[in-house]
Amino acid sequence: GMVHENDAAARIAAAVCGPHLRLSEPKEGRINFSADCRGVLEVDVPTLAAINGIGEITLATLHSMRLVEAGQDVAGTRVVPLMIEESRLRRLEELVSSPVLRVHPLAAAAVGIVTTGSEIYSGRIKDAFGPVLRQKFADLGCTVLGQTLTSDDEAMTSAAITDFVAQGADMIVVTG
């Protein structure tokens, strides 16, 4: 009725591992999970808490909804003793109905930026947020189709948004 730590770690990993994760080989009862692509880590936090409440089982992760890079370690699991009761592992396996950990690959998007405000539109003040957004989107692998400055006029802003839709924007960011 007892399971060795390496075998236990392998069973835990198999039960909780979702898409776009790679598993290390068991070493001293520990298996690490790493992202196989750049993306957003999703953790089923309630199930994670329940797993860690079983006792003698540890599953540690980065925070959910965090950007992760390919090859980055995002979680690790192990059992605390050298041997663990089979019943604890069965309890974990019964508890997990879907992957507890998964990475959602980032999809490159075409982005349009609409910046509203009469002060910026008229040139009274300089837009400082556009360059910040351009850099953030570039870091995410997105293409910025352009940035349109509009006054506080709703029709002008609406037309700028519609223009980016016509250009094929996947996302339109409106700032002001």
Side-chain angles (χ1 to χ4, degrees), residues 30-115:
R30 180 178 175 90
I31 292 180
N32 291 325
F33 301 70
S34 62
D36 74 0
C37 64
R38 189 168 199 236
V40 176
L41 174 66
E42 180 184 3
V43 179
D44 176 348
V45 176
T47 304
L48 173 67
I51 289 168
N52 284 324
I54 292 172
E56 298 183 347
I57 295 174
T58 301
L59 178 59
T61 73
L62 297 178
H63 288 287
S64 190
M65 298 302 145
R66 176 183 170 153
L67 179 66
V68 295
E69 300 295 333
Q72 180 180 355
D73 283 342
V74 299
T77 191
R78 71 174 314 133
V79 296
V80 177
L82 181 60
M83 304 286 281
I84 187 171
E85 294 173 12
E86 167 79 23
S87 61
R88 290 185 190 269
L89 293 173
R90 278 197 310 272
R91 200 158 121 210
L92 177 141
E93 291 163 340
E94 291 167 2
L95 183 79
V96 176
S97 59
S98 62
V100 177
L101 305 167
R102 65 180 75 216
V103 173
H104 299 278
L106 287 184
V111 180
I113 302 172
V114 177
T115 302

Side-chain angles (χ1 to χ4, degrees), residues 87-148:
S87 61
R88 290 185 190 269
L89 293 173
R90 278 197 310 272
R91 200 158 121 210
L92 177 141
E93 291 163 340
E94 291 167 2
L95 183 79
V96 176
S97 59
S98 62
V100 177
L101 305 167
R102 65 180 75 216
V103 173
H104 299 278
L106 287 184
V111 180
I113 302 172
V114 177
T115 302
T116 67
S118 295
E119 298 88 359
I120 290 175
Y121 181 72
S122 68
R124 270 185 57 198
I125 62 172
K126 182 181 176 190
D127 170 46
F129 201 53
V132 172
L133 282 175
R134 286 177 182 277
Q135 185 59 55
K136 286 181 182 278
F137 286 121
D139 291 346
L140 294 171
C142 296
T143 302
V144 175
L145 299 174
Q147 179 181 12
T148 302

